[in-house]
Amino acid sequence: MSVDGARLWKLNQRLLGVVMDACTAELSALGLETKEFFVLAEVETSPYPAQIASALLLPRASVTVYVRNLVAKGLVEREIDEADLRRHRLVLSDAGVTARDRALVTLAAEYDRRLARITEQDRVDLQRILGQMLDLPE
């Protein structure tokens, strides 16, 4: 049986979209738009807006808008980067950590609901396969 990589990619994107759509109300209750959530969730890993844009494949101008919104909502703060005083790095505020964590719980629950449709062994295999595709250590 032949597997079409483009079809698999499309199915994966569709699954992610369905999960995110199912979580929209909870994200809204947390004061987040979907893309703001992705930026918020990336701040600890990528503390500079250009890094966030690269990691999320978003235009830098869009990330700038999302960061401004998150700062205005009190979820993200800008700090002077001690390694380079000309730069500001982003950090999550306590409220930002709480919002991110609550959103992640909601997303995990929705994704788990989808995962429940497949066997435990298929879930183990899926995790292993995705890890291999991302070159993650086992």
Side-chain angles (χ1 to χ4, degrees), residues 12-38:
N12 187 57
Q13 286 299 110
R14 188 168 167 204
L15 173 61
L16 295 175
V18 166
V19 169
M20 289 307 299
D21 286 347
C23 297
T24 299
E26 179 63 27
L27 291 177
S28 293
L30 293 170
L32 294 170
E33 295 177 18
T34 301
K35 289 187 179 171
E36 288 175 344
F37 160 72
F38 286 118

Side-chain angles (χ1 to χ4, degrees), residues 18-107:
V18 166
V19 169
M20 289 307 299
D21 286 347
C23 297
T24 299
E26 179 63 27
L27 291 177
S28 293
L30 293 170
L32 294 170
E33 295 177 18
T34 301
K35 289 187 179 171
E36 288 175 344
F37 160 72
F38 286 118
V39 170
L40 185 70
E42 188 64 29
V43 166
E44 282 187 341
T45 304
S46 306
Y48 303 101
Q51 287 178 330
I52 294 170
S54 178
L56 298 179
L57 304 174
L58 292 172
R60 287 182 180 196
S62 296
V63 170
T64 298
V65 171
Y66 300 134
V67 167
R68 277 191 199 137
N69 292 345
L70 293 168
V71 168
K73 293 174 184 182
L75 302 176
V76 171
E77 298 169 353
R78 296 177 193 267
E79 293 183 342
I80 298 290
D81 186 341
E82 292 299 322
D84 181 350
L85 299 177
R86 298 168 295 172
R87 292 178 75 182
H88 284 86
R89 59 182 281 122
L90 303 173
V91 295
L92 295 178
S93 66
D94 290 342
V97 170
T98 299
R100 181 209 52 205
D101 292 351
R102 286 185 182 164
L104 287 172
V105 166
T106 299
L107 286 168

